[in-house]
Amino acid sequence: MNESQTPPKNIVLIGFMGSGKSTVGRELHQRLGYPLVDMDHVIEQRAGKSIAAIFADEGEDKFREMETALLGELVDPAAPRRIISTGGGVVGREENRNLLRHLGYVVWLQAPLAVILERTSKNRDRPLLHTDDPAARIEALLAVRKPLYAETAHLKVDTSGLDCGELATGILESARYFFTGHL
Ligand code: S3P
């Protein structure tokens, strides 16, 4: 993006699997009426199969390429404002981290390990957690990703004890403040 252009005013949700990105994204979408882009859903629709099937058939690298390509498409200053919900591993590539910050206001939803474990154990959608010891896998991934979420986000939100309505209210307040300062 040309530095002289006004940055797009999207709200972008990042955070680990099970941190509530999709739920909070839907709440923000309902409140603001902005279109919701759930990146995992778009990738699944395009591929015509689930994320787990993409990982199994084509490998994680292919999925990451699809993720980066989609982010590149979303960085369109002419597009309407949107709520963008990302997959938990989107911060892995430096290129993606740069794209995310060019997309708008980046909000990191944080949840404790126990909550992540409980939420992610409810289904088998997440191929990275198809392991004998999901807790250990989550801890290892979190150790790598936490600094990446931190360097990418404009706002870090501790989701403990808050429902999605309360989270949406807080995010909207700070997004308004952020965008006012970036007019
Ligand atoms: C992933 C998170 C998933 C999905 C894929 C990989 C990750 O999205 O993109 O399974 O690397 O953390 P959610 O964070 O929405 O579960």
Side-chain angles (χ1 to χ4, degrees), residues 8 11 18-19 31 35 38 40 49 51 59-61 64 71 77 80 119 122 129-130 149 170 174:
I11 297 177
S19 60
R31 297 234 192 144
D38 184 319
D40 283 347
K49 52 183 150 183
I51 305 271
E60 180 175 352
D61 283 353
R64 298 298 171 200
L71 272 183
R119 288 191 187 146
K122 288 185 181 148
L129 303 183
H130 294 172
Y149 294 131
S174 42

Side-chain angles (χ1 to χ4, degrees), residues 1 7-12 39 70-76 82 84 86 98-106 179:
M1 188 182 67
K9 294 193 173 74
N10 302 297
I11 297 177
V12 184
M39 290 185 59
L70 176 55
L71 272 183
E73 290 171 38
L74 293 173
V75 181
D76 171 6
R82 290 164 298 200
I84 299 171
T86 62
N98 293 332
L99 287 166
L100 287 163
R101 285 185 68 95
H102 279 142
L103 272 171
Y105 188 51
V106 184
F179 288 130

Side-chain angles (χ1 to χ4, degrees), residues 17 21 40 51 55 63-64 86-89 126-128 145:
M17 296 174 255
K21 299 173 300 254
D40 283 347
I51 305 271
F55 270 63
F63 172 75
R64 298 298 171 200
T86 62
R126 290 154 170 126
L128 291 178
R145 291 179 180 177

